[in-house]
Structures are given as structure tokens and as C-alpha cells.
Amino acid sequence: MKHQPALDVLATMRREFHARGFEENTITDLVPTGGDTFFVIAGVQLFDDELHHGGPVKQGSFLVAQPCIRLKSLHKVGLQEGISSSFVNLCTEQANGSMSDYLRHLEGWIAVLLALGLDADGVVLVLEPQAKQRGGMAFRTVNVMYFGFELGEAIFLYAIEEQAPVRTIIDFGFGFERIVWAANEADSYFSLIGPLRIALTGEYRLVDFLRTMTLLAGAGLTPANKGKGHVLRRLGQLAALEQPAIGAPLEEIVQHSFDSWAALVPPRVDLARCTRTVVEEVGRNVNAALARRLGLALPGAQLGKDRETFLEELLHSRKVDLITLREALRTQ
């Protein structure tokens, strides 16, 4: 197995694309104010201002390394290779480009993948048979496969209305973690996500959920019962269900994730606040699960206490005895 750290892979890709005239750009706000999505889910949202607010059309070819969140396949996380609740969507984007520009993007991507050491015999382009529509634009998708595994998509969108200010969008989006996996010839996609010593234990779901929670908390979100904060709350519930791994050093996973995301998009809160938000939310859900096993209805303020304080208060309240508590903990 090769060992090319993710940041080294990214540096190689940036260098290759810059040499081909691509300018780096970033979608700095993970929680967009326009459009129709809770979060940034695709690099094409670089043109949200043009598409939704009539802003001036950005000129040029752009390389975008964009953290994205996609939650439709949460049940597959950790079980199916390549499925994560958050990932880096590494894209090249261009508005009002021609088909020759599209082919230039495609040529650049193939050259970059080969520069990373991928086997040319494994790269296959597959055209999806059906045209689709999205937000007033039609498109067909070319899937870029590597030995049968999808690395990314190459899309040429064109406006249905002829007078639209954005007539075409070239949108190439690749899962960066998938590329790192392919470049390293790793046995598992998940073994390259999270702190290595924890990822190698196989606790993939816990690492993924905490990684996404860190991205959300770093963007300034707090847990809530509705809206965008509900996603953070739901992920905290899922992380708490990973009982065999609950003794894992949550703070270490959060710090690793925080540093990884910060290399792409500056966080809106500091590490200490981000860690506190994530760890407290997971702990609250772990405490709530224990209370349910004990048949106790407890106020949210008590559930939000740290683990040690929560257990001490349970015993001092005389609502549960030591033997019962020990048995409930054993069945977690």
C-alpha cells in the first residue's frame, strides 16, 4: 500500500490545475443564504449568486475544494465503500463555457489523476443515457470510473431559456477522499478518514458522524430540534448509538476533523467551542439512552451534564441503586 497523505495529494492536484490555468475559488459559507438547500452540497453552488440573485457572472475556470454534506445515504455510512455524510467535493467549474472548454476540463482531470499514479487502464468514462433537469438547466452526466468505482462526475449544463445570463455551466465534481483512496491503493476507503489509529479500529460510523458534526459546529451551528441545527442533533444521536466505540477519544477525533476542514474553509468558531458543542451533544444523547434504559424521565439540563457528574447525580438522587446502574451500563 502506498502512503500519500491527503494534503500531499491535494497539493499535487492544485499544482497541476494551476499549471493549466485554473484559478482557485472557495465557497466560504457552508450554510448558504440563497438557493434551495440547507447546506452546500455541490461545487456548482459557486454560481448561486448568478443563478438566484442575478449577480455578475464569474469569468474563468475555477478549482474549488469544497466541504459538502449529503445525508440521503446515512444508513450506508461505514457499510458501503465511498459513502460518507460529509466529504470534500473537489471540482472544476466554469460558467458560459463551450464544449471545447468542457473537453479541456476533462483532459485536465485525466492528466491530474495520472499524475497521482492512478492506472490509466482503470479510468473509464460512462455516459448516463438519460438527460436531466436542475434549476432551469438541462444536462447529461459522464461518470468517471476507476476499476468500477465512481470517482466523480463530468457534467455540462445548458440553460433551457435562451436568454438566461448563465447559458452553460461546466461542473466536474470528484470525491476527494475517493481520489486519496485510489492514489494510495488502500484496502478500504474508510481507513483513510479520521485519525489513523482510530480509523484502523474499524469504527467508521462514529468517525464519520463526528467528522460531520465538527464541520457543522465549526460553521457556527448549534444543536436544535428543527431547522439546520436538527441535523447536528440527529448526528449526535447516531454517534451515541455507536456503543462499542463510545469510549473512543471524542476530543481527538474532533480536533483531527477540525484541522482537516480548516485547511479548506476557515471555521467560524474556535476549536474549543467546536469541541464542546460536539462532545456535549454526543454525551447528552448517551445520558438520555441510559436514562431510558433505567425508565427515568429526566430534565434536559441534567442530561446535558458530563458523564461523571450525570452518574453521580443519578446515585445521589436515590432514583437508582448502584447494582441497577452497573447492570444498565453493562448493557450499553
Side-chain angles (χ1 to χ4, degrees), residues 142-175:
V142 174
N143 294 312
V144 182
M145 313 295 291
Y146 187 62
F147 289 110
F149 184 77
E150 184 181 320
L151 291 182
E153 298 176 335
I155 300 176
F156 187 84
L157 301 102
Y158 52 93
I160 297 172
E161 297 182 7
E162 293 185 2
Q163 301 304 315
V166 180
R167 302 183 305 277
T168 65
I169 294 179
I170 297 168
D171 174 30
F172 281 59
F174 284 67

Side-chain angles (χ1 to χ4, degrees), residues 162-211:
E162 293 185 2
Q163 301 304 315
V166 180
R167 302 183 305 277
T168 65
I169 294 179
I170 297 168
D171 174 30
F172 281 59
F174 284 67
F176 175 63
E177 291 84 352
R178 295 186 179 207
I179 292 174
V180 174
W181 176 34
N184 279 284
E185 300 177 357
D187 293 335
S188 171
Y189 165 88
F190 298 104
S191 66
L192 297 169
I193 297 176
L196 185 59
R197 71 178 189 86
I198 297 173
L200 293 177
T201 65
E203 305 296 351
Y204 303 137
R205 287 174 63 80
L206 177 68
V207 170
D208 179 85
F209 298 147
L210 291 176
R211 186 171 183 252

Side-chain angles (χ1 to χ4, degrees), residues 34-82:
D36 55 1
T37 62
F38 261 7
F39 307 111
V40 170
I41 62 172
V44 73
Q45 288 174 266
L46 179 69
F47 301 113
D48 266 359
D49 189 46
E50 292 91 324
L51 294 171
H52 298 287
H53 306 292
V57 180
K58 299 179 186 67
Q59 301 297 315
S61 303
F62 300 103
L63 173 66
V64 182
Q66 180 60 49
C68 289
I69 294 175
R70 294 183 184 171
L71 303 172
K72 292 183 178 179
S73 301
L74 269 177
H75 61 289
K76 297 179 182 178
V77 171
L79 305 175
Q80 182 175 322
E81 292 285 10

Side-chain angles (χ1 to χ4, degrees), residues 240-244 246 286 289-295 307 311 320 322-332:
L241 290 175
E242 299 304 307
Q243 301 299 349
I246 208 61
V286 172
L290 177 59
R292 286 193 296 271
R293 280 194 297 277
L294 293 167
R307 187 65 160 171
L311 295 176
V320 62
L322 184 58
I323 295 175
T324 303
L325 181 57
R326 182 181 291 119
E327 183 59 30
L329 289 170
R330 187 177 293 119
T331 59
Q332 276 192 302

Side-chain angles (χ1 to χ4, degrees), residues 308-324:
E308 189 71 15
T309 301
F310 178 70
L311 295 176
E312 289 179 354
E313 289 186 357
L314 283 180
L315 291 175
H316 290 319
S317 69
R318 299 182 181 274
K319 293 181 179 179
V320 62
D321 59 63
L322 184 58
I323 295 175
T324 303

